[in-house]
Amino acid sequence: MALSKIADAGLDLTAAAIPVLNSSSMPAGSVLQVVSATKSDTQSTSLQAWVDVTGLSVSITPTSVSSEILVIVNVQGTGTNRYNAIRVVRNGVAVGVGNTADSRTSVLSGFGLDPDAGTSYVYVLYNASGSFLDNPASTSSQTYKVQFGSTNSAVATYINRSEADGNEAWAHRGISTITVMEIAG
């Protein structure tokens, strides 16, 4: 409809007449805010420990204690064995991971590396990804960080690069991301 027709219909389109939408007036399930971080450089560790992925950290302040936070993580990488994985911590505590059972390690995702494929796996960039709803039940700032490492032995784990990161067209480089969204409760 043309603006002249709207004006002829007697509709008030002044700023004062348009209702203001704020987070408290949004229905449950609405996305209230989005925060994201992208890492395009590489990183590695040779520790059998969880290491923060530099640059994959975001902070979000929920507007309501009933809000949930949708966390979406996508990490490119590989390692020198099949035990390389990622997890997410919120304010230093692991969230969105599997249940702990005996000595098994709780992770969000592994890189899916297949070292039985011969030596060709050293040229491949693998993906570890996951998403989950978290409920911090707080209106204080929440910091979500991605961590990576080997869960079996002190061997190399790489982010955004393959193990054989040669100066060749077949040596891929990727990006990794974390996105958090506040969802109205």
Side-chain angles (χ1 to χ4, degrees), residues 6 11 14 23 30 34 40 46-47 49 74 80 92 130 133 139 152 171 174 176 178:
I6 292 174
L11 296 175
T14 62
S23 61
S30 297
V34 178
S40 59
S46 292
L47 299 175
N74 183 31
T80 56
L133 275 173
T139 55
N152 184 48
S176 298
I178 180 171

Side-chain angles (χ1 to χ4, degrees), residues 160-171:
N160 290 342
R161 57 161 278 197
S162 62
E163 181 182 350
D165 190 40
N167 188 17
E168 303 288 344
W170 44 255

